[in-house]
Amino acid sequence: MGTEQLKKNIGFFVGTSLVVGTVIGSGIFMKPGIVLESSGDSTRALLAWLIGGLITLASGLTIAEVSTRIPKTGGLYAYLEEVYGRIWGFICGWVQTVIYGPAVMGALGLYFGSLLVSFFQLDSSLSTIVGIITVIFLGVVNSLGTRYGGIIQNVSTVAKLIPIFAIAIFGIILGDQPVLNVSSGSSTAAISMGAAILATLWAYDGWMNVGFMAGEMKDPSKTLPKAIITGILIVMVSYLSVNIAMLHVLTAEQIIELGPNAANTAATILFGDFGGKLITIGILISIFGCLNGKILTFPRIPFAMAQNGLLPGAKQISKVHKTYKTPMNATIMQMVIAVIMMIVSDPDRLTDMAIFSVFSFYGLAFFAVFILRKKQPDVKTYKVPFYPLTPIIAVIGTIYLVVNTVMDKPADALLSIGIGIIGLPLYWVLTKKKSRASN
């Protein structure tokens, strides 16, 4: 079942654009007000973005070593299966297949549909339909070959950075508001540096998705760590620049009050009405490119699981299309689950569930670097710098996010845990069936 091979045609630039494209979506425009309100003042807000970026960078540096030691398609699922055993790999892959991947795709599709409908002043009831059509369109494009999905990723990544850097550069040059030590006006009870960092970590999520494509990279041991590190550094510069620019153009209280519209308002001040529209187009491109990156990478998880016989209908899901050399059936399956989620839920709920469901597995993947070093101390491969400090930072950051989510959103956390537990009987049935077939 695992004899068919995916085409190896992903290089450094596509890999880097996947990291940037899957991280920078709507978060850079949605989170500044939340971070500012939680932190209490502008200096602490910028510090929160920096700390969130450093935790993400530590995570990226750590997972780069894990991924080069285990350069398999499937990313997180493949890493946990290799290090902790098949049952942990299965639970991780199961949760990513039925919650994380489809929920993130569905949320981004709904955000895109809502924004596009608003931009063209259409009936708001059409937003879900537009979102579903967008998800299906990108699913079809990526099924026709990673080259086409890669082209969209490259173009959208470059396009999304243009408005981001435009508002950053002109905001820093032309703004006249003080940037540092500006009070947010939040009450003392509402101030929480932890909540501020938590919001930035949500905005930074998505960088690990490029690891799902390791099996399709030309030289994963060199390309993957370079792509992860370069991509995260680009995102950190983008996030800090936009936040500094917005603080230079708007007051802290305005940024909090305007929320998701703060960047749009700042652009209108800098460039007039045309600037506001330009930023809206930039956000649309940003979400579109982010969604494309998710649809390009997420189906590799069920594909890898199905190759090991660990999903119902594994024989069909593990097929590589004869002409296009892509996991078309796995892509279709992910799209169907995503569309169902889009119909029955809202984007904010989907995003909350997705983030919690995956972060506990992130922590296990970061800790895996210690286990791999002990088992294979002499392997010649990329090694995480400043070991063991760097992976320790990554693990602590992950524990922090998981604990805060359980405290703040217990219902979503319990639902995600419940779906993970439901996967266990399925694992036992599938492994018993596979064992009988091999005898």
Side-chain angles (χ1 to χ4, degrees):
M1 193 175 291
T3 57
E4 294 182 276
Q5 296 296 312
L6 296 167
K7 196 171 180 181
K8 293 180 179 289
N9 61 356
I10 294 178
F12 167 72
F13 191 76
V14 172
T16 301
S17 68
L18 276 169
V19 176
V20 176
T22 52
V23 172
I24 299 180
S26 58
I28 191 170
F29 303 105
M30 301 291 184
K31 296 295 183 184
I34 296 171
V35 175
L36 192 52
E37 185 174 22
S38 300
S39 61
D41 69 58
S42 58
T43 302
R44 287 161 60 90
L46 292 173
L47 182 62
W49 283 104
L50 180 62
I51 292 172
L54 291 174
I55 291 173
T56 304
L57 185 58
S59 303
L61 290 166
T62 302
I63 212 66
E65 178 171 338
V66 176
S67 63
T68 51
R69 286 174 177 266
I70 312 171
K72 297 179 178 179
T73 289
L76 195 57
Y77 156 72
Y79 309 152
L80 296 194
E81 182 185 60
E82 182 82 13
V83 177
Y84 299 103
R86 297 192 74 188
I87 192 163
W88 278 104
F90 172 81
I91 295 170
C92 173
W94 167 254
V95 168
Q96 288 188 95
T97 296
V98 299
I99 304 177
Y100 179 66
V104 173
M105 287 160 52
L108 289 168
L110 289 171
Y111 282 136
F112 182 83
S114 177
L115 195 60
L116 191 71
V117 164
S118 175
F119 184 77
F120 288 106
Q121 298 181 331
L122 302 173
D123 191 326
S124 59
S125 63
L126 296 172
S127 62
T128 301
I129 295 171
V130 172
I132 289 171
I133 291 171
T134 305
V135 168
I136 293 172
F137 168 74
L138 287 175
V140 171
V141 170
N142 282 287
S143 294
L144 298 178
T146 54
R147 182 165 64 90
Y148 299 107
I151 290 170
I152 289 178
Q153 202 60 45
N154 289 341
V155 171
S156 63
T157 298
V158 172
K160 77 168 66 176
L161 289 176
I162 291 172
I164 286 172
F165 285 125
I167 191 171
I169 292 168
F170 285 96
I172 291 169
I173 294 172
L174 301 177
D176 56 7
Q177 296 289 335
V179 172
L180 300 176
N181 301 315
V182 179
S183 174
S184 65
S186 306
S187 65
T188 306
I191 295 173
S192 167
M193 196 63 178
I197 295 170
L198 186 66
T200 69
L201 286 174
W202 286 349
Y204 279 111
D205 184 51
W207 54 270
M208 192 184 281
N209 294 1
V210 73
F212 304 157
M213 310 292 288
E216 293 159 83
M217 286 187 166
K218 296 169 185 176
D219 187 358
S221 64
K222 291 182 179 180
T223 303
L224 192 54
K226 286 181 181 178
I228 290 174
I229 294 163
T230 305
I232 292 172
L233 287 173
I234 290 171
V235 172
M236 284 181 67
V237 171
S238 300
Y239 281 15
L240 285 167
S241 299
V242 167
N243 276 276
I244 290 169
M246 287 172 59
L247 284 164
H248 208 28
V249 175
L250 301 170
T251 66
E253 291 183 357
Q254 282 178 313
I255 293 172
I256 294 170
E257 185 181 344
L258 289 165
N261 295 314
N264 197 317
T265 304
T268 302
I269 292 170
L270 291 169
F271 309 114
D273 290 337
F274 174 76
K277 291 179 180 178
L278 179 68
I279 287 296
T280 303
I281 293 170
I283 298 172
L284 281 166
I285 294 172
S286 182
I287 298 174
F288 187 81
C290 186
L291 178 58
N292 178 73
K294 307 295 189 189
I295 292 175
L296 177 61
T297 55
F298 281 144
R300 272 68 185 173
I301 305 167
F303 173 80
M305 291 184 70
Q307 282 194 315
N308 291 328
L310 291 176
L311 280 180
K315 189 173 181 180
Q316 292 300 317
I317 296 170
S318 66
K319 281 186 176 179
V320 176
H321 194 278
K322 290 181 179 179
T323 303
Y324 305 122
K325 303 297 181 185
T326 58
M328 183 177 286
N329 291 346
T331 301
I332 292 170
M333 183 192 74
Q334 289 279 272
M335 283 195 301
V336 169
I337 300 174
V339 168
I340 292 171
M341 286 184 168
M342 293 170 78
I343 294 170
V344 302
S345 191
D346 66 82
D348 295 325
R349 183 79 183 273
L350 291 179
T351 302
D352 290 343
M353 285 183 60
I355 295 302
F356 175 80
S357 70
V358 80
F359 256 80
S360 55
F361 297 110
Y362 277 8
L364 288 173
F366 302 147
F367 189 76
V369 76
F370 297 106
I371 298 172
L372 291 168
R373 288 240 185 155
K374 189 174 181 180
K375 286 183 178 178
Q376 307 161 341
D378 301 320
V379 172
K380 301 294 182 185
T381 183
Y382 161 86
K383 286 183 168 58
V384 58
F386 308 113
Y387 179 90
L389 180 61
T390 303
I392 288 173
I393 291 171
V395 171
I396 291 173
T398 303
I399 292 170
Y400 184 79
L401 177 60
V402 170
V403 170
N404 271 275
T405 305
V406 170
M407 293 172 63
D408 292 341
K409 302 179 186 300
D412 290 343
L414 287 173
L415 180 59
S416 297
I417 292 168
I419 291 174
I421 292 171
I422 288 169
L424 288 174
L426 180 63
Y427 170 79
W428 292 321
V429 169
L430 290 169
T431 50
K432 193 175 288 186
K433 181 180 176 182
K434 190 177 180 181
S435 178
R436 284 199 302 266
S438 60
N439 291 334

